[in-house]
Amino acid sequence: MKQSTTLEILVGLFVAIGLAALFVLAMKVSNITALNDENGYEITANFENVGGLKVRSPVSVSGVRIGRVSDIHYDIERFEAVVTLKIGRDYRLPTDTSASIFTSGLLGEQYISLEPGGSEENLQDGDRLKLTQSALVMEQIIGRVLFNKASEGVEK
Amino acid sequence: MSQDGEQQSLVEIRGLRFVRGTRAIFDGLDIDIARGKVTAIMGPSGTGKTTLLKLIGGQLRPTAGTVTVDGQNVHRLRRGGLYSLRKRMGMLFQSGALLTDLSVYDNVAFPLREHTDLPEVMVRDLVLMKLQAVGLRGARDLMPSELSGGMARRIALARAIALDPMMIMYDEPFTGLDPISKAAIVELIDTLNEALGLTSIVVSHDVQETAAISDYIYVLAEGKVVGQGTPDELRASPSEWVRQFMQGLPDGPVPYHYPATDYAEDLLAGNG
Amino acid sequence: MNALARLGRTGLAFFERLGRGHVFLAQMLYGLPSMLLRPRLVVQQIYSVGVLSLLIIAVSGLFVGMVLGLQGYNTLSDFGAAESLGVMVALTLVRELGPVVAALLYGGRAGSALTAEIGLMKATEQLSGMEMMAVDPVRRVIVPRFLAGMIVMPLLAAIFSAIGVYGGYFVGVGLLGVDEGAFWSQMQANVDLHEDILNGVIKSVVFGVVVTWIAVFEGYDCVPTSEGVSRATTRTVVHSALAVLGLDFVLTALMFGDV
């Protein structure tokens, strides 16, 4: 029991180091500063095809990340995919903003790129984006090219 | 059944049966431990003497029969009741069972710190008193690994009496000690019993030492009591069992040979 | 027939032991609140399972991070994606290697020591002696160690990962010349606090509970002889390693997979 103070100091030090490590992981390694889940508003967009888009995929404007995809589901009445986007509170977007699904790099992940329009009014929580462009699916592109080639061949 | 009236028995064991695996270690045991006396339970090794102490302390459950300590049926008690009963029992293990990560002082202080809210000053006084009683006050700063077997057992005894129990169970207190340490333990058991008004149960197979201090002796063999009485009565006992044990004869009712087939047959079988 | 009977006996013994282990776990959990009154006991155990494991965890974390930096660089640079080194190192550590390797090392360093210590206490009748002193050995000896393991494991895993990230940084940026800005910014853009770091912490808590549980149970349940203790110690290391790797798969599937 004589060395109990030393022991306590060492344990305190150990716990402090452990918490510091967690802090480093949170602050330095992860994107805690980028976006806070709680702050923001949600808008929806309908797509014919979302391709490889996933929940948590980034949402960006002019290449700046301003939010993320929070939900993807299928609308059984309109036969379309409904994607919910969570946008950071500080980012205002006009009502006629359009959304497209792009791929970052050749093999990279897919993300939603927003293109702001010229409207005076801003999108509110729960609004729906009307202008959307679906993801490019590789097979469709290849199929279209082959079809064009084939039809060219017939014309000749 | 016992040499005293029912009321004076601190521990009453009735029809105790305990089975481990397929072997019945006790089969219909009846024992009374008188208050304020030293009662010895003797028998050859392997007769389950330690098991008996564990049954009295409620660490094991009997297959049948009852153990009553101070009017309470040990195995009917709930946890809380059992624990408060155990606070009034001390047990001295063969190995001492000192906590190896604590010093001698902290070992003796252990039950006081666990069960009381006494200020540290009082704990210190009590610990030093108990250590003085076993003559090892000077060893308080040693660790258990630095103690000899006899010293460890005396420290364990100091710890067992730390809470001033009503009885102490000694598990083979003399085994593996040199004659001087043995004499010291014999002396301690005797004086503690006198001075503190304790009831002592000594489990042992050391006939000489045990007979010297005990008031009453039970001899166990094959799960039963085969003899009982004061040391003098037992020495004069006509029972073959008791005589073999008390006089230390190699052969008798406890056979010298482990049960086997006929010797000659066994030898011849190898030639076939 | 004999072989069949033996199989049956082994199976029964296995399930009996499993049952005992779970009863024991319940006992420990039941005793956890009592530790609020005796924080000193826990502090002492955090010292012996945590502080004493710190060195091996830190050194291993550094080397694992450095190896990841080296190997990752070699592979990624083939695809012209060396800037993603930070992401790769960080995700590998935070999601997998941090919790898993830290738990394996913890099992070998602290788990085996716990088993041996408790087993020896049992063999020398110290646990039995406590019981006779009306002190519950589960609460006095086992629960503080269990709780300490639960607290220590996530901290050790975090230390392992954090040091590992810096090890990867040292090799990648310092030695191999990956751009420093890209290393950190790519990492921060792709490592998610919730998804990756929190899940890693959850993993390490689970591993801490399971490894410590195995260690204290093996000690408490061992055959109280020197041979029994040494066997129990071996079993702790083997079983805890298997449990960590198996559970890691299950947890990974639950957390990151679409299963």
Side-chain angles (χ1 to χ4, degrees):
Chain A
M1 296 276 158
K2 267 179 276 173
Q3 307 150 324
S4 58
T5 349
T6 341
L7 186 132
E8 273 162 23
I9 292 170
L10 283 172
V11 168
L13 210 62
F14 168 73
V15 174
I17 293 172
L19 292 179
L22 274 176
F23 186 74
V24 165
L25 291 181
M27 300 305 291
K28 183 110 188 164
V29 175
S30 85
N31 52 0
I32 187 176
T33 40
L35 264 190
N36 199 326
D37 285 5
E38 308 311 317
N39 293 330
Y41 60 98
E42 286 188 332
I43 53 178
T44 59
N46 291 22
F47 291 94
E48 260 177 51
N49 190 330
V50 293
L53 198 71
K54 292 195 184 73
V55 171
R56 305 202 67 85
S57 291
V59 175
S60 58
V61 178
S62 315
V64 178
R65 185 172 165 172
I66 61 161
R68 58 179 177 78
V69 173
S70 62
D71 183 55
I72 299 174
H73 69 269
Y74 184 64
D75 185 339
I76 47 170
E77 284 175 11
R78 299 168 60 107
F79 307 113
E80 278 181 334
V82 180
V83 177
T84 309
L85 314 176
K86 187 142 200 166
I87 309 293
R89 195 180 41 186
D90 300 336
Y91 300 99
R92 276 193 293 274
L93 296 164
T95 46
D96 55 351
T97 299
S98 66
S100 323
I101 297 177
F102 289 149
T103 308
S104 59
L106 190 58
L107 302 165
E109 61 175 345
Q110 292 191 296
Y111 68 98
I112 290 189
S113 172
L114 298 180
E115 188 76 20
S119 172
E120 296 286 307
E121 288 173 55
N122 287 327
L123 283 166
Q124 299 297 315
D125 190 42
D127 281 355
R128 193 166 63 81
L129 294 179
K130 291 171 191 72
L131 298 167
T132 63
Q133 188 193 343
S134 287
L136 290 175
V137 179
M138 197 64 82
E139 288 86 338
Q140 282 179 355
I141 300 170
I142 295 170
R144 205 167 294 154
V145 170
L146 289 178
F147 181 76
N148 287 344
K149 288 275 180 205
S151 51
E152 277 170 26
V154 169
E155 278 165 22
K156 278 176 187 171
Chain B
M1 178 123 301
S2 85
Q3 82 280 28
D4 291 307
E6 283 295 273
Q7 288 83 15
Q8 279 172 305
S9 299
L10 183 63
V11 182
E12 288 176 24
I13 298 172
R14 291 289 174 269
L16 186 75
R17 187 177 153 78
F18 182 76
V19 180
R20 180 175 285 156
T22 53
R23 196 167 87 91
I25 295 182
F26 299 121
D27 197 0
L29 210 59
D30 292 309
I31 287 178
D32 286 83
I33 311 288
R35 263 181 216 276
K37 297 278 168 64
V38 179
T39 306
I41 296 176
M42 308 195 68
S45 308
T47 40
K49 301 185 296 291
T50 307
T51 311
L52 183 65
L53 293 186
K54 289 194 168 173
L55 282 162
I56 296 174
Q59 285 189 294
L60 295 173
R61 294 198 145 267
T63 316
T66 58
V67 177
T68 316
V69 176
D70 200 25
Q72 291 173 294
N73 183 337
V74 174
H75 301 99
R76 285 277 177 72
L77 286 176
R78 293 181 155 275
R79 211 182 124 91
L82 182 61
Y83 271 39
S84 62
L85 182 63
R86 279 183 187 163
K87 282 182 207 167
R88 299 195 289 144
M89 296 180 187
M91 178 146 170
L92 182 70
F93 285 84
Q94 199 174 333
S95 59
L98 293 174
L99 302 172
T100 38
D101 55 340
L102 298 181
S103 70
V104 164
Y105 178 92
D106 290 322
N107 259 291
V108 180
F110 181 81
L112 295 166
R113 287 185 178 139
E114 289 289 321
H115 293 306
T116 66
D117 288 325
L118 292 176
E120 202 50 41
V121 195
M122 272 179 89
V123 170
R124 188 185 133 87
D125 287 351
L126 284 168
V127 170
L128 294 185
M129 275 164 62
K130 307 294 174 189
L131 282 174
Q132 177 69 21
V134 298
L136 289 173
R137 190 162 46 85
R140 71 184 109 160
D141 291 327
L142 297 181
M143 293 305 280
S145 53
E146 300 168 288
L147 300 172
S148 72
M151 282 164 89
R153 225 166 276 184
R154 278 151 74 187
I155 301 290
L157 188 53
R159 188 179 64 175
I161 57 172
L163 288 172
D164 291 321
M166 59 180 178
M167 74 175 212
I168 298 196
M169 299 186 274
Y170 299 90
D171 185 5
E172 301 285 7
F174 314 116
T175 308
L177 295 185
D178 61 88
I180 303 171
S181 305
K182 221 184 251 187
I185 296 275
V186 170
E187 181 70 20
L188 263 176
I189 295 176
D190 207 29
T191 47
L192 282 178
N193 208 66
E194 290 285 308
L196 303 177
L198 289 168
T199 303
S200 305
I201 307 177
V202 180
V203 149
S204 178
H205 50 230
D206 290 285
V207 177
Q208 293 295 322
E209 290 78 9
T210 314
I213 48 166
S214 47
D215 299 302
Y216 203 79
I217 298 178
Y218 285 88
V219 180
L220 302 187
E222 296 188 336
K224 291 195 176 61
V225 175
V226 292
Q228 55 176 298
T230 60
D232 291 333
E233 280 168 26
L234 279 181
R235 281 195 195 100
S237 168
S239 158
E240 281 285 310
W241 281 103
V242 176
R243 222 180 38 219
Q244 188 194 358
F245 185 73
M246 297 296 280
Q247 300 178 2
L249 305 173
D251 210 353
V254 178
Y256 173 71
H257 289 289
Y258 194 82
T261 52
D262 187 64
Y263 187 36
E265 246 175 60
D266 215 0
L267 285 176
L268 290 172
N271 300 333
Chain C
M1 278 322 263
N2 226 340
L4 210 60
R6 200 174 312 140
L7 187 70
R9 250 199 315 276
T10 315
L12 279 179
F14 172 77
F15 281 111
E16 198 197 324
R17 213 174 135 72
L18 203 66
R20 272 207 308 276
H22 281 88
V23 169
F24 187 66
L25 179 66
Q27 266 178 306
M28 286 195 292
L29 294 177
Y30 184 72
L32 273 186
S34 69
M35 282 303 110
L36 289 175
L37 302 172
R38 314 275 313 257
R40 273 193 131 271
L41 292 177
V42 185
V43 168
Q44 238 157 33
Q45 294 310 319
I46 290 182
Y47 176 77
S48 53
V49 299
V51 177
L52 297 181
S53 311
L54 189 57
L55 187 67
I56 186 176
I57 291 282
V59 173
S60 313
L62 183 68
F63 281 117
V64 167
M66 282 162 65
V67 168
L68 279 176
L70 207 58
Q71 291 281 18
Y73 179 82
N74 287 341
T75 312
L76 289 173
S77 59
D78 286 350
F79 298 101
E83 291 74 27
S84 304
L85 184 66
V87 193
M88 197 213 92
V89 170
L91 280 186
T92 319
L93 281 169
V94 169
R95 282 182 172 188
E96 288 298 334
L97 291 185
V100 170
V101 178
L104 292 177
L105 291 172
Y106 170 83
R109 170 68 183 81
S112 59
L114 279 178
T115 307
E117 187 190 9
I118 295 171
L120 279 176
M121 287 181 88
K122 185 179 181 183
T124 53
E125 293 181 307
Q126 293 183 46
L127 297 181
S128 199
M130 269 189 201
E131 243 175 72
M132 285 308 298
M133 285 188 277
V135 175
D136 183 352
V138 173
R139 290 205 181 168
R140 180 63 173 71
V141 176
I142 309 291
V143 175
R145 287 166 170 76
F146 181 61
L147 184 58
M150 275 168 74
I151 295 172
V152 157
M153 193 64 250
L155 297 179
L156 288 180
I159 292 170
F160 186 96
S161 298
I163 291 185
V165 166
Y166 279 96
Y169 168 81
F170 172 69
V171 170
V173 176
L175 300 182
L176 299 170
V178 174
D179 181 61
E180 178 169 358
F183 185 88
W184 290 114
S185 66
Q186 286 259 7
M187 191 190 297
Q188 282 164 7
N190 287 288
V191 178
D192 191 81
L193 179 70
H194 212 73
E195 189 97 321
D196 300 313
I197 294 186
L198 200 67
N199 277 344
V201 172
I202 291 173
K203 266 188 181 180
S204 61
V205 172
V206 173
F207 294 161
V209 169
V210 171
V211 173
T212 320
W213 172 29
I214 290 176
V216 294
F217 177 68
E218 288 291 356
Y220 194 76
D221 198 57
C222 76
V223 181
T225 59
S226 46
E227 195 202 0
V229 174
S230 78
R231 278 192 186 184
T233 311
T234 313
R235 268 206 305 272
T236 293
V237 176
V238 173
H239 289 186
S240 62
L242 288 178
V244 165
L245 296 172
L247 268 176
D248 183 50
F249 173 73
V250 174
L251 289 175
T252 306
L254 286 176
M255 287 168 174
F256 305 111
D258 297 319
V259 186

